[in-house]
């Protein structure tokens, strides 16, 4: 029996297990997936929890519900990959040999990487919303908060779902308005980037919205530490931003296991061919989702689109055919902006987010780079699509390759 | 792409004055560009710049964090060497493209 091993059963690993289970000959192939957690979290839903829009039950389901029968499932911590030997060692010493390996161990919040962050005020007046615990603790805090300085900060680039901090400030603004305390809350977004977002047209559109909503943006601020006595963020060039409530996206890093295996860069991401999605160092290892060092968003949509490419290329490699599928970096992100509205961006390695309609040219129903109600419904529908279609590896009516149809080129 | 004469050499630059071709870089150009930004180059600056050029030639993606781990200086030191925009300024002086933070 030949062995195909998938490490990580989150968004990307689960999609892959479902796709390959249908395609590989069961007489010849044994498929195994390993994850340490029994619960699958719908991470995009964490954003809505602090504001009471989603509850815990809305974002959790047993992982086992999404793995197809016929795939071996092992719930265990992974100790390391021994790529030269084509085998994986689990915690406790169990050895799993493989012919092909798919690494989908994601990226994780690391508050421990910033001095003072996970200190005495962690979950007192400093929170993250990138974990369920953080989002729930923040919800509790917001119930009785009477206002003050809210700082929403980004520690380091890259981090998963780069639009999430923007969505957070937009939703917070609407939340405080509804609570009747908007005039008592001062909201700022602190970022190491030179603007609200990285791509020029999207930054322009989003900056306008931020100004309209009276949300301040502090740019080029690279956090060195958190001062727990003064309640300030301190940057490497010794500037300070005071806060009463800090909501932070901690440093994101790939799995420690990648570093133990000697396969990662300095942030534990695996150097990956951005078109074939193979590990640069080992041809029989494919890297999918947030674990890869690709120059595109770390997002569920990217995991979904790139799964099609890994699927094609892996089947070609198995058959000894040349690999012809090439990933273009396609990402597609809904951006919640509060008050039942949202924006949508669609882009890839080469093309920045442009205005237009999506997915049907001229028809939509979604509007690119525009703040509309229908885009908000897109985001809300996405949760259903995630659980019922995306994870199961079924086809969505959206091509994995980005299309220019429906987009308007903008000059100047 | 505009042409510009820097330190007596005619080179191609982009809109923001970054060299279009890293091969056209010379130490003299580095000195001129640094002066424009208000930096007097020391050996330490040049060590950072050599490191950046090397990494760029190997196709590495550069970040402040990465340079801070290079062993040449730490992040705080890098801010002291290139105040106001450590990676932006050092990349410009090193004759490599403006760092693009990708999403
Ligand atoms: C607040 C928030 C909002 C978001 N919003 C959006 C959005 O609107 N749209 C969008 O497209 N994306 C969004 N995302 C991003 C999206 O959730 C991720 O990009 C996506 O889940 C990545 O999938 P993945 O499979 O690469 O990683 P994950 O789904 O994180 O899975 C990684 C898996 O690996 C396992 N693992 C890691 N290390 C080990 C080990 N050593 N041993 C055993 N198991 C291990 C973990 O348990 C986990 O199950 C959001 C994320 C967050 C946090």
């Amino acid at each position: 029996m030949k062995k195909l091993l998938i490490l990580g059963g989150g968004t990307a690993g689960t999609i892959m297990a479902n796709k390959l289970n249908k395609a590989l000959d069961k007489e010849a192939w044994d498929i195994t997936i390993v994850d340490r957690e029994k619960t699958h979290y719908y991470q995009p839903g964490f954003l809505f929890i602090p504001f009471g829009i989603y509850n815990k039950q809305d974002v959790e389901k047993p992982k086992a519900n999404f793995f197809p029968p016929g795939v071996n499932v092992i719930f265990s911590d992974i100790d390391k990959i021994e790529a030269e030997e084509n085998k994986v060692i689990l915690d406790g010493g169990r050895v799993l040999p493989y012919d092909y390996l798919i690494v989908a161990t994601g990226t994780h919040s690391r508050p421990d990487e910033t001095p003072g962050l996970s200190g005495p005020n962690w979950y007192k007046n400093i929170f993250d919303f990138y974990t369920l615990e953080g989002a729930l603790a923040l919800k509790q805090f917001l119930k009785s908060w009477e206002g003050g300085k809210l700082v929403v900060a980004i520690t380091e680039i890259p981090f998963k779902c780069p639009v999430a901090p923007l969505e957070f400030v937009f939703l917070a603004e609407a939340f405080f308005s509804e609570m009747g305390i908007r005039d008592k809350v001062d909201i700022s977004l602190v970022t190491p980037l030179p603007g609200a977002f990285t791509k020029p047209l999207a930054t322009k559109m989003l900056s306008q919205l931020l100004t309209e909503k009276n949300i301040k943006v502090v740019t080029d601020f690279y956090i060195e530490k958190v001062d727990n006595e003064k309640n300030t963020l301190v940057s490497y060039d010794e500037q300070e931003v005071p806060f009463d409530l800090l909501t932070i996206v901690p440093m994101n890093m790939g799995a420690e296991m990648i570093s133990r295996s000697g396969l990662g860069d300095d942030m534990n991401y695996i150097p990956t061919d951005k078109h074939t999605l193979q590990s640069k160092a080992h041809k029989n290892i494919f890297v999918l989702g947030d674990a890869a060092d690709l120059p595109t968003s770390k997002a569920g949509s990217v995991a979904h689109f790139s799964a099609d490419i890994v699927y094609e290329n892996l089947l070609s490699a198995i058959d000894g055919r040349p690999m012809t599928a090439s990933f273009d970096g396609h990402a597609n992100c809904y951006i919640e902006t509060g008050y039942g509205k949202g924006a949508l961006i669609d882009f890839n390695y080469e093309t920045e987010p442009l205005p237009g309609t999506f997915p049907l040219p001229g028809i939509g129903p979604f509007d690119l780079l525009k703040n509309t109600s229908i885009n908000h419904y897109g985001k809300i529908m996405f949760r259903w699509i995630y659980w019922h279609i995306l994870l199961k590896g079924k086809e969505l009516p959206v091509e994995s390759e980005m299309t220019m149809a429906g987009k308007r080129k903008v000059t100047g | 792409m505009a042409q510009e004469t820097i330190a007596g050499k005619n080179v191609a630059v982009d809109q923001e004055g970054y060299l279009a071709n890293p091969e056209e870089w010379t130490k003299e150009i580095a000195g001129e560009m640094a002066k424009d930004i208000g930096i007097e180059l020391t050996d330490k600056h040049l060590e950072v710049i050599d490191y950046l050029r090397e990494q760029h030639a190997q196709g590495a993606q550069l970040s402040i964090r990465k340079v801070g781990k290079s062993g040449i200086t730490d992040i705080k030191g890098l801010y002291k060497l290139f105040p106001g925009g450590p990676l932006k300024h050092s990349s410009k002086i090193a004759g490599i493209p403006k760092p693009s933070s990708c999403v």
Side-chain angles (χ1 to χ4, degrees), chain A residues 165-185:
Chain A
L166 286 161
E167 298 184 279
F168 187 92
V169 290
F170 289 139
L171 287 177
E173 197 276 335
F175 175 81
F176 295 125
S177 292
E178 276 153 34
M179 303 282 285
I181 58 167
R182 179 65 185 94
D183 56 330
K184 299 200 178 65
V185 185

Side-chain angles (χ1 to χ4, degrees), chain A residues 113 156 162 193 198-199 220 222 224 236-238 251 266-267 293 296-297 347, chain B residues 59 61 63-67 69 75-76 79-80 84-85 88 98 101-103:
Chain A
E113 289 282 320
E156 178 65 286
L193 294 170
T198 46
K199 313 273 178 165
D220 294 304
Y222 197 35
E224 182 192 1
Y236 279 105
D237 54 351
E238 287 156 24
M251 170 106 179
D266 61 340
M267 289 169 93
D293 75 337
T296 185
S297 285
F347 57 103
Chain B
Q61 285 192 33
S63 65
I64 294 180
R65 186 184 159 82
K66 189 168 168 106
V67 184
K69 281 191 170 175
I75 299 178
K76 256 200 140 83
Y79 269 96
K80 295 238 157 77
K88 270 185 283 185
K98 186 176 179 185
S101 31
C102 33
V103 279

Side-chain angles (χ1 to χ4, degrees), chain B residues 28-44:
Chain B
E28 290 68 43
I29 293 181
E32 279 283 306
M33 285 189 156
K35 228 182 263 155
D36 278 351
I37 301 169
I39 295 171
E40 195 64 50
L41 290 186
T42 64
D43 287 350
K44 202 76 196 164

Side-chain angles (χ1 to χ4, degrees), chain A residues 220-387:
Chain A
D220 294 304
F221 192 96
Y222 197 35
I223 298 172
E224 182 192 1
K225 60 182 180 200
V226 176
D227 185 328
N228 280 282
E229 256 148 47
K230 290 201 285 183
N231 274 324
T232 55
L233 280 174
V234 184
S235 71
Y236 279 105
D237 54 351
E238 287 156 24
Q239 302 188 54
E240 297 194 18
V241 172
F243 59 81
D244 297 305
L245 167 58
L246 173 64
T247 302
I248 192 161
V249 180
M251 170 106 179
N252 275 206
M253 286 175 86
E256 250 340 276
M257 179 277 291
I258 304 292
S259 145
R260 285 199 294 276
S261 311
L263 293 177
D265 62 13
D266 61 340
M267 289 169 93
N268 304 345
Y269 298 121
I270 303 179
T272 304
D273 184 303
K274 67 178 192 173
H275 296 302
T276 66
L277 303 176
Q278 267 171 315
S279 143
K280 283 184 181 162
H282 302 91
K283 297 288 168 230
N284 63 339
I285 301 182
F286 287 85
V287 191
L288 191 57
D290 296 348
D293 75 337
L294 303 182
T296 185
S297 285
K298 295 196 178 299
S301 60
V302 173
H304 166 74
F305 296 133
S306 54
D308 287 348
I309 309 300
V310 170
Y311 174 80
E312 293 288 330
N313 283 342
L314 183 66
L315 294 185
S316 299
I318 286 174
D319 291 348
R321 286 180 280 124
M323 292 188 291
T324 49
S326 173
F327 188 50
D328 65 350
H330 189 189
N332 176 281
C333 303
Y334 289 97
I335 309 174
E336 273 296 291
T337 57
Y339 307 98
K341 286 192 174 183
L344 176 63
I345 54 178
D346 192 62
F347 57 103
N348 67 12
Y349 292 141
E350 314 297 337
T351 310
E352 65 163 311
L354 295 172
T357 53
F358 183 86
L360 300 176
I363 297 171
F366 302 115
D367 303 293
L368 294 166
L369 269 190
K370 254 170 86 180
N371 194 29
T372 63
S373 309
I374 186 82
N375 289 337
H376 160 73
Y377 289 109
K379 179 104 187 180
I380 297 304
M381 259 159 30
F382 187 67
R383 183 166 64 104
W384 190 91
I385 291 175
Y386 184 88
W387 291 126

Side-chain angles (χ1 to χ4, degrees), chain A residues 381-400:
Chain A
M381 259 159 30
F382 187 67
R383 183 166 64 104
W384 190 91
I385 291 175
Y386 184 88
W387 291 126
H388 297 275
I389 299 181
L390 196 124
L391 285 183
K392 304 257 162 92
K394 294 185 191 157
E395 296 299 318
L396 280 171
V398 178
E399 294 296 320
S400 53

